[in-house]
Amino acid sequence: MSAEVQLLAFHLDRERYGLPLASVERVVRIVEITSLPKAPEIVLGLINVQGRVIAVVDVRKRFRLPQREATLSDSLIIARTPARAVALVADSVTGVVECTERETVSARAIVPGMEYVEGVAKLGDGMILIHDLGRFLSLDEERRLDEAIAHA
Amino acid sequence: MLIVEDHGTLRAALRDWIEYLVPGVSVRSAGSVQEALDTLAQAAADVVLMDIGLPGMSGIEGTRLIRARAPETPVVMLSILDDRAHVAEALDAGASAFVPKRRMRDELPPVLRAVLEKRSSRAGGAVSGGGDRP
């Protein structure tokens, strides 16, 4: 029997993406994002959630979606990469979905050029791209982000 | 060439890959069967790459419509689902080949080459590709 995979599903524009539920800490309403000079381009800024400073990363840029300003209806998904907690701005969070490992396909088997996607899963009502948080920031971006935060 | 795929990120990656595989090719894309039909009404395509699971009308039905309107246009079906029933349904709808997404990176390039060669030589018939042919 194929193991169940639990994903937190969210939308960016019309597209649906998922994060492995185990990597998600919490979802909060959008808060003010403070710019972070000298941070890598992929970092939108910093947020303060209950005294904790977390970098907000630009998931739209990684997925090659049109850029837009954050709005009050957006949500922030706080999740853990291997190196740090990060926040992702999502248009909406639709909840937890489950699929079996048999229903998921490795992105690398499908098409080259989707480094930030771990896999694709077929759900009853469409497809979901599973976000690979481990590859979200390159080593160089991690280093530059550390330096920018240290100088903030 | 026309790519019919509903997920924008996958569509963009597929488009880049096809442009790399077939240098100089003109690639258009659509997110639904209706959008594909509208695009094809403006100009024909050498090949259509069609996902099965699309919002609204399925890629199977879309393939039937395209083949009925433009029998000379080969359609290559792509799907995460690769059981015999889906492969049979795709070929029955008139698809020239079926490539399972879980093996697409390895199997699409030779299938695409074969379909384009057949197209340029104006030969008919189905092209063996990827999926388990019934």
Side-chain angles (χ1 to χ4, degrees):
Chain A
M1 200 163 121
S2 194
E4 288 281 332
V5 181
Q6 287 192 311
L7 303 168
L8 182 75
F10 61 97
H11 275 91
L12 297 169
D13 293 342
R14 289 184 308 170
E15 319 294 357
R16 187 159 56 159
Y17 300 87
L19 278 173
L21 191 61
S23 69
V24 176
E25 287 188 10
R26 59 197 296 199
V27 177
V28 297
R29 291 183 65 175
I30 191 88
V31 294
E32 189 180 351
I33 300 170
T34 307
S35 66
L36 181 62
K38 295 185 181 172
E41 232 182 35
I42 196 68
V43 175
L44 291 171
L46 298 175
I47 55 167
N48 187 322
V49 180
Q50 295 175 335
R52 197 164 154 225
V53 175
I54 297 171
V56 181
V57 291
D58 191 350
V59 69
R60 283 180 164 270
K61 185 187 283 290
R62 278 292 188 250
F63 288 136
R64 302 164 57 181
L65 295 171
Q67 295 292 298
R68 71 159 175 77
E69 294 290 319
T71 69
L72 288 174
S73 62
D74 289 341
S75 297
L76 286 166
I77 303 171
I78 299 173
R80 286 213 66 83
T81 72
R84 71 181 77 240
V86 293
L88 283 60
V89 182
D91 295 5
S92 61
V93 175
T94 47
V96 177
V97 296
E98 289 185 350
C99 54
T100 63
E101 281 182 353
R102 190 185 165 277
E103 292 166 323
T104 66
V105 179
S106 158
R108 282 168 279 283
I110 299 178
V111 57
M114 292 205 299
E115 293 87 358
Y116 313 109
V117 179
E118 185 177 322
V120 176
K122 174 78 187 161
L123 303 177
D125 57 347
M127 199 166 59
I128 189 166
L129 258 60
I130 305 168
H131 192 356
D132 188 347
L133 271 177
R135 289 167 171 257
F136 197 84
L137 294 174
S138 68
L139 287 176
D140 180 56
E141 286 168 337
E142 292 277 9
R143 181 185 55 76
R144 285 161 53 209
L145 176 56
D146 284 336
E147 287 173 4
I149 290 174
H151 288 98
Chain B
M1 197 170 305
L2 175 64
I3 295 168
V4 192
E5 163 64 60
D6 61 322
H7 206 295
T9 300
L10 189 52
R11 192 167 60 233
L14 189 51
R15 184 182 182 129
D16 286 353
W17 188 38
I18 297 298
E19 286 173 347
Y20 169 79
L21 286 175
V22 190
V25 70
S26 162
V27 181
R28 293 173 292 165
S29 58
S32 67
V33 169
Q34 189 54 57
E35 209 181 316
L37 294 173
D38 293 345
T39 305
L40 288 172
Q42 290 167 17
D46 285 346
V47 180
V48 176
L49 300 182
M50 174 82 79
D51 186 26
I52 286 187
L54 294 167
M57 198 184 296
S58 81
I60 298 275
E61 194 51 39
T63 298
R64 277 200 191 94
L65 285 174
I66 289 170
R67 297 286 292 165
R69 293 178 190 188
E72 72 286 358
T73 303
V75 179
V76 176
M77 299 225 67
L78 315 170
S79 180
I80 287 182
L81 305 167
D82 60 348
D83 52 275
R84 294 178 72 88
H86 278 94
V87 179
E89 209 179 351
L91 298 177
D92 187 53
S96 300
F98 181 100
V99 177
K101 279 185 179 168
R102 62 184 70 242
R103 298 195 295 275
M104 196 163 90
R105 189 170 182 164
D106 291 334
E107 296 187 0
L108 184 60
V111 168
L112 205 50
R113 271 195 296 275
V115 169
L116 286 169
E117 278 168 19
K118 266 189 186 283
R119 169 94 166 126
S120 62
S121 65
R122 302 282 180 203
V127 174
S128 174
D132 303 314
R133 290 175 63 81

